[in-house]
Amino acid sequence: MTLVVIGPATKDLVIIGDDESCKVGGATYFQSFVFEEFYPDYQAIINCSDSDLAEEFPDSGKVRIIMKDDTHYFINRYPFRNNRDVREQLSNFADIPILKSDLEEVLPDEIDAFVLNPLNRFDFPLETIEFLKSFGVPIFMSVQGFLRISDVQVNENYTIKLDKSYDLTDILSGVSAIFLDESELDIIGHEFDVDEMVITNGSHGSRIISDGEIKIEVVKCDDVVDTTGCGDTYMAAYISQKLRSKSIENAGNFASAIASEKIKYNGPYSSCR
């Protein structure tokens, strides 16, 4: 049985203060490093136009590429070195949807669960999501990509605005868990037929709404180096633990600890540092 993680790999420009660096990114990329450590029976499926991006994953043999005519590009700017909760983002808003026919070519024969990581509203058409729901396995989904719309154009890219520009009921209905932050929750509201809502709040910790609400305290980190991909790391760590222990609270505490470890270093999570 295999955990199938689906979503774009990206080319990112990260700006922290006056320092700039070009990196591979995307939720599926950051999550693959966590799954490699804690749930190694996984497969990553990425959509992009550059097959070399797969070589940056922890195990390129576990990556399947859906070749498209464009690649997602992001600029992540952190204007304040001492406050990484503040981030400014731009994107090219690549229109490279993952189609049912694309997935039929690359999905494994046996599947434990799906992890869906849209980076904008084009990535997962409703038909694709309905196809994945038909497998009858748990689906874990990040929400932010569905809320991203283009705002002000800056050169070839656009600033990102978050807004509920269309009805998400059919997309989110029946999903096992959705992952979002407090500002995104304010946009979409609570009224969705999902088993769990995992809500992060940066350095203020997280909370999980299921039958009740569980507060997860943040694991303090005094030396914050790189917060890019922290939410993706939290999500993957949560899923890894939840699939094994079935405990929401254990999964949340584990995810908080792993996310805290990730931000001590540049790049994705690694237990070998």
Side-chain angles (χ1 to χ4, degrees):
M1 298 288 280
T2 302
L3 178 64
V4 181
V5 191
I6 311 173
T10 71
K11 294 181 177 180
D12 291 355
L13 174 63
V14 180
I15 305 171
I16 302 174
D18 296 327
D19 297 331
E20 298 185 3
S21 58
C22 295
K23 301 181 179 182
V24 177
T28 298
Y29 169 74
F30 284 105
Q31 290 171 359
S32 68
F33 287 84
V34 180
F35 291 130
E36 186 70 25
E37 182 73 23
F38 301 110
Y39 205 100
D41 186 6
Y42 75 95
Q43 177 178 300
I45 299 174
I46 59 174
N47 54 319
C48 61
S49 61
D50 185 353
S51 60
D52 289 341
L53 296 182
E55 299 302 318
E56 300 296 325
F57 280 66
D59 184 347
S60 60
K62 296 178 180 177
V63 182
R64 302 292 181 268
I65 306 172
I66 299 171
M67 294 300 298
K68 297 291 182 176
D69 59 5
D70 201 358
T71 297
H72 284 273
Y73 179 72
F74 282 86
I75 299 173
N76 296 307
R77 183 191 304 274
Y78 299 92
F80 309 111
R81 286 185 176 274
N82 60 348
N83 184 3
R84 302 298 175 81
D85 286 346
V86 178
R87 179 178 69 174
E88 301 167 357
Q89 274 194 312
L90 294 91
S91 174
N92 63 342
F93 280 87
D95 186 356
I96 49 173
I98 299 169
L99 306 176
K100 173 185 175 183
S101 56
D102 294 328
L103 292 173
E104 288 173 333
E105 300 294 324
V106 294
L107 286 176
D109 293 332
E110 297 187 15
I111 298 168
D112 277 325
F114 290 111
V115 181
L116 307 187
N117 296 306
L119 296 185
N120 65 33
R121 66 184 183 88
F122 305 122
D123 285 324
F124 286 90
L126 179 58
E127 179 187 20
T128 300
I129 293 173
E130 294 295 341
F131 168 63
L132 296 175
K133 288 178 181 177
S134 72
F135 283 77
V137 300
I139 294 178
F140 303 92
M141 183 186 296
S142 60
V143 170
Q144 186 181 81
F146 293 117
L147 303 180
R148 283 175 170 153
I149 60 175
S150 59
D151 197 10
V152 179
Q153 184 172 7
V154 180
N155 298 322
E156 296 179 353
N157 298 297
Y158 297 84
T159 58
I160 294 172
K161 180 180 179 180
L162 298 182
D163 195 9
K164 186 179 174 183
S165 56
Y166 58 103
D167 189 358
L168 296 175
T169 301
D170 289 340
I171 289 173
L172 301 184
S173 176
V175 169
S176 301
I178 60 174
F179 294 76
L180 66 169
D181 66 22
E182 292 286 358
S183 63
E184 292 152 9
L185 180 64
D186 288 341
I187 294 172
I188 72 167
H190 294 74
E191 301 304 317
F192 291 99
D193 178 23
V194 298
D195 295 336
E196 300 165 26
M197 301 179 73
V198 183
I199 307 155
T200 56
N201 194 17
S203 61
H204 301 289
S206 54
R207 58 194 179 103
I208 303 160
I209 300 174
S210 184
D211 293 332
E213 179 173 316
I214 298 172
K215 172 68 176 176
I216 304 297
E217 298 297 330
V218 71
V219 175
K220 295 292 185 181
C221 175
D222 295 328
D223 185 18
V224 176
V225 174
D226 180 10
T227 57
T228 301
C230 185
D232 306 322
T233 299
Y234 179 107
M235 180 175 171
Y238 181 94
I239 293 167
S240 299
Q241 186 70 9
K242 179 66 189 303
L243 287 174
R244 295 193 184 283
S245 74
K246 310 301 181 186
S247 167
I248 290 174
E249 187 168 9
N250 287 349
N253 287 326
F254 179 74
S256 182
I258 296 302
S260 180
E261 278 297 307
K262 178 264 173 287
I263 64 177
K264 296 177 182 178
Y265 305 97
N266 279 308
Y269 172 80
S270 172
S271 63
C272 300
R273 289 165 170 157

